[in-house]
Amino acid sequence: MHVPDGFLDAPTSVATGVVAAGTVALALQRARRELDERTAPLAGLTAAFVFAVQMVNFPVGAGTSGHLVGGALTAVLVGPWTAVLCMTVVLVVQAVLFADGGLTALGTNVTLLGLVAVGVGYGVFRLLLALLPRTRGGLLAAAGAGAFVSVPVAALVFVGLFAVGGVADVPLSAVAAAMGGIHVLIGIGEAVITVAVLAAVVSVRPDLVHGAAHLRRPSDLATRPGLRAEESLR
Amino acid sequence: MSRRRAPWLAGLLLTLVIAGFVSHHASSAPDGLEWAAGESGFADTARDSATADSPLADYAVSGVDDGRLSGGLAGVAGVAVTLVLAGGLTLVLRRRTGRPAADAAAAGPARD
């Protein structure tokens, strides 16, 4: 869902640029509370992983593809403010080095994939975490639901931007139906990948996962295979 | 290889394999936005990025003719750059061990 240059007019691109810059400035302050000696390396690795997985488009129905956004996954792994920074780095690298996503659309892409996908994905995750059992299964279900919802919501926010500043004069209902429909399907892939990756990380190093803090009791950790409790509590 | 390092190395290796090899097998069909733009008739308003002539544009290394090698090298380069930028940024921002979180937060955007 990388928006190219040209889809949105200049005022809309400037506005999303301002929103993106403000969000990143806030994230630079707030992320300090999420990052310590152990979680900072995970944030770097997570950003690189998201870059890599975004290269792998999976087929979605007839003649269409999608790829992981990674906003929800990153937020659950390293915290939402750090996730904004990770997603922004990925989007800047893609736009500047790989011509993937427009340069004038960079603010739009940071807004959609950094702010909206992270915010919605993490918001749904936290909401369900409070409702679901405090188990590893509950954690994965909450993350999967957040990931699923984040993709069509980001797509619909694009439709909102297109309504305000779309260059082409096309029926908005058609844009909304196409964007919403296809991104519900892509959201399923988003949820599957998010749950698979999170399950793997939680099984090896639950102590590093931001969204798994509620599972971090000694009794939880002692039963994990491949992890010594005294090591993880350090 | 220590037990503490193994998961990190495995994660990095997996990331490099995905970017360097698995990416070659990605679907080349239009993505959701491209498809929707075509369906609803605004695809032709897309403009080439100012970086369209970059040596890594479209995930290919210019001058490397073999598509598989070119895409794999571009992917590995992207992983390296992203790791350095994101890892460097988060290392600069992180709280130092033994220092209360409140201190780090109060320090605000100033560098330590």
Side-chain angles (χ1 to χ4, degrees), chain B residues 7-103:
Chain B
W8 295 102
L9 291 174
L12 184 59
L13 191 64
L14 176 67
T15 299
L16 289 169
V17 166
I18 291 170
F21 296 97
V22 181
S23 61
H24 180 71
H25 302 284
S27 166
S28 55
D31 75 7
L33 176 59
E34 290 168 332
W35 176 83
E39 285 289 298
S40 39
F42 66 93
D44 58 356
T45 61
R47 297 283 167 267
D48 267 354
S49 167
T51 59
D53 295 326
S54 131
L56 292 172
D58 296 323
Y59 300 91
V61 180
S62 63
V64 179
D65 292 334
D66 181 87
R68 182 182 283 258
L69 180 65
S70 183
L73 288 175
V76 169
V79 165
V81 172
T82 306
L83 190 63
V84 167
L85 290 182
L89 179 65
T90 52
L91 283 173
V92 166
L93 292 176
R94 80 191 190 278
R95 295 194 303 265
R96 296 332 196 247
T97 299
R99 204 166 151 227
D103 281 7

Side-chain angles (χ1 to χ4, degrees), chain A residues 56-68 148 151 178-190 193, chain B residues 26-33 35-36:
Chain A
V56 185
N57 281 56
F58 48 83
V60 183
T64 315
S65 71
H67 62 66
L68 179 82
F148 170 69
V151 177
M179 280 297 283
I182 196 69
H183 285 97
V184 165
L185 296 178
I186 296 172
I188 296 171
E190 180 88 15
I193 298 171
Chain B
S27 166
S28 55
D31 75 7
L33 176 59
W35 176 83

Side-chain angles (χ1 to χ4, degrees), chain A residues 28-227:
Chain A
L28 283 168
Q29 295 180 350
R30 300 289 175 87
R32 302 176 79 92
R33 297 174 199 168
E34 297 168 349
L35 292 163
D36 60 26
E37 302 281 354
R38 302 165 317 130
T39 54
L42 180 66
L45 182 55
T46 301
F49 181 80
V50 166
F51 173 87
V53 178
Q54 284 200 357
M55 289 181 74
V56 185
N57 281 56
F58 48 83
V60 183
T64 315
S65 71
H67 62 66
L68 179 82
V69 172
L73 172 65
T74 308
V76 174
L77 282 175
V78 298
W81 295 108
T82 306
V84 168
L85 300 179
C86 289
M87 295 300 294
T88 301
V89 167
V90 169
L91 290 163
V92 167
V93 169
Q94 289 169 330
V96 172
L97 292 183
F98 297 92
D100 185 12
L103 276 188
T104 64
L106 185 56
T108 301
N109 284 318
V110 169
T111 300
L112 294 176
L113 306 180
L115 173 58
V116 175
V118 168
V120 170
Y122 193 71
V124 170
F125 167 75
R126 293 300 303 208
L127 184 70
L128 289 178
L129 211 55
L131 303 173
L132 291 169
R134 295 166 72 83
T135 60
R136 200 196 296 200
L139 173 85
L140 296 178
F148 170 69
V149 174
S150 71
V151 177
V153 170
L156 290 179
V157 172
F158 170 80
V159 176
L161 294 174
F162 192 83
V164 176
V167 167
D169 186 19
V170 297
L172 199 63
S173 57
V175 179
M179 280 297 283
I182 196 69
H183 285 97
V184 165
L185 296 178
I186 296 172
I188 296 171
E190 180 88 15
V192 169
I193 298 171
T194 297
V195 169
V197 173
L198 193 59
V201 178
V202 167
S203 72
V204 181
R205 291 295 300 268
D207 57 309
L208 291 181
V209 176
H210 178 91
H214 64 298
L215 297 179
R216 231 172 272 160
R217 295 189 312 256
S219 57
D220 287 321
L221 295 168
T223 55
R224 297 265 185 280
L227 180 83

